[in-house]
Amino acid sequence: MKLTILGCHSATPTVSAHPTAQVLEIKGHLFLIDCGEGTQVQLRKYKIKFSRIRRIFISHLHGDHFFGLVGLISTFRLMGRNAELHVYGPKGIKEAILLFLKLGKSYTNYPLYFHELDTTIPELIFEDDKVSVETIPLEHRVYTNGFLFREKPADRTLNVDAARAANVDLSYYNKIKQGFDVENKEGKIIPNKEITFDPPAPKSYAYCSDTAYHPQMVDQVTEVDVMYHESTFLEEHHHLAEKTKHSTAKEAAAIAKKAKIKTLILGHYSGRYGNLEFFRNEAQEVFLGKIELAEDGKRFDFSKK
Amino acid sequence: MKLTILGCHSATPTVSAHPTAQVLEIKGHLFLIDCGEGTQVQLRKYKIKFSRIRRIFISHLHGDHFFGLVGLISTFRLMGRNAELHVYGPKGIKEAILLFLKLGKSYTNYPLYFHELDTTIPELIFEDDKVSVETIPLEHRVYTNGFLFREKPADRTLNVDAARAANVDLSYYNKIKQGFDVENKEGKIIPNKEITFDPPAPKSYAYCSDTAYHPQMVDQVTEVDVMYHESTFLEEHHHLAEKTKHSTAKEAAAIAKKAKIKTLILGHYSGRYGNLEFFRNEAQEVFLGKIELAEDGKRFDFSKK
């Protein structure tokens, strides 16, 4: 599981501060999460292959999370894309994107599917044999969802030497990997654990932006490996966070603590602060797990334990 | 009259090739012409004061000329703008922009006016005592206008020494500047030309993008000082220009020649060509006036003769 931050700043884009977008690589999928203006250029800059993006998840319809989407969809067309594209986002997103495409007489020549969201309870929105994605309802000025990405448990790994020593017929390979006990050539039941290794623990990633302090999400994200939680403000501007329905670094940390998260990534910084370390300092007074600061272009590799 | 090219490349934006947008400074106005994705960042990069932009002219509703507009309008709001903003563009532009703002519950708190265009003959769309702006109907895959910006003749400049020598009462100052002959203190009519200098000749700028070869525009732009004419392709790809309703550098030059333009600026380059000098070389085989190549960030000063 790898995460590339394309942009992690709030509100207006500048030359050096890009609005929200990130790419999660998980079990062979490349998921684009949010798509602020300029995301397609950031994708190019960080050499992410456009054709590998098949699913885009939009948290809410504020410009800094969404205004790059229509340009990216158009660029896919100009690049001669054939592959399906699935867009998950709040109700209304389809009408808006299609209106822009219609005005430019630029309908896509690849299959484009919209999955519009409007529930306020967690909803499973994508699933295959390797991963699942569900919404995390958040609290913001407009209808907003975070997204919870979970790997499914992988197959067990065959311990070839142990299986041979136990005289197991390796034509049972698939059953063994799936965790079944099997009979050996003498008809004796061999417990699966004796001839396999545990697979890597499945990873999980919760993306939570934008949101006010919202402890209602804690149950859903408990013991998630990695959580990105917005921290637009520091506590000194708590009144602004309340007014605009954003979080402070301390509040993000409080969620991470309650949910027993392993790694907390902070981002969606207001432009008013000179030094991002302020966010880390404030968060680590509350949360004792690992804290990372999102930065445009930063890549995290969570594949290793 | 000064022109700043913010972007001059066709189709998809990249790190180093920005889609179309330019700023024309003319008689105190700062006009933004077209607004591809990322224009607001380019405005910041080239230190153009956002609050001075009061009028935006959109040629057509293809993404590379238009997808930056909603973000710029939103950013104006976040910056606390009060001044009116006027947007001139094809019919449909208002509905599209307002839909995006509505979805984000982000209506502007400054007065925003849309002037929707749908005529196919030249139309005067803005005028004050210093400049006029009219549409230049173009030929493209969607409804498209260029724009013709003209300075109005300035007042004549008083020749103080000559006026005193001719014994003219300088309380006539305003009448003299306006070109009237006046009586001197002895009651003799003094011809205006004897006591004034010619003002600088009024300048004009024609913006023509995107368009197929379209000689119907020639009458309207004849003897304009500066013309930006798209040259997406070179002649070797004439078939692509025809198919996509764009122009080659040679065709742009042919328009400039027929219209007796003083300075031709080429731009809207396809990304397929390694060297922009190819465009100049092709154009100067046809057009003997001055040829400039647009480049992102380039500034032209046409104030001097």
Side-chain angles (χ1 to χ4, degrees), chain B residues 281-298:
Chain B
N281 295 344
E282 189 170 290
Q284 69 193 10
E285 286 176 22
V286 174
F287 175 64
L288 301 178
K290 191 166 185 184
I291 298 173
E292 299 274 9
L293 297 175
E295 287 173 42
D296 298 356
K298 207 168 184 177

Side-chain angles (χ1 to χ4, degrees), chain A residues 8-44:
Chain A
C8 60
H9 296 268
S10 69
T12 63
T14 68
V15 175
S16 58
H18 295 85
T20 301
Q22 41 185 261
V23 174
L24 180 70
E25 186 173 353
I26 182 169
K27 293 273 181 181
H29 290 285
L30 228 60
F31 293 142
L32 177 62
I33 308 167
D34 281 340
C35 192
E37 183 173 350
T39 294
Q40 60 176 312
V41 174
Q42 292 292 90
L43 285 169
R44 283 184 197 272

Side-chain angles (χ1 to χ4, degrees), chain A residues 123-136:
Chain A
E123 184 182 10
L124 180 70
I125 55 173
F126 173 68
E127 185 174 32
D128 66 6
D129 57 346
K130 290 186 176 154
V131 298
S132 68
V133 186
E134 52 191 86
T135 58
I136 306 170

Side-chain angles (χ1 to χ4, degrees), chain B residues 150 217-224 258-261:
Chain B
R150 286 188 188 277
M217 80 171 82
V218 168
D219 280 353
Q220 190 187 358
V221 299
T222 290
E223 293 187 351
V224 154
K258 282 176 198 285
K260 305 186 190 87
I261 301 295

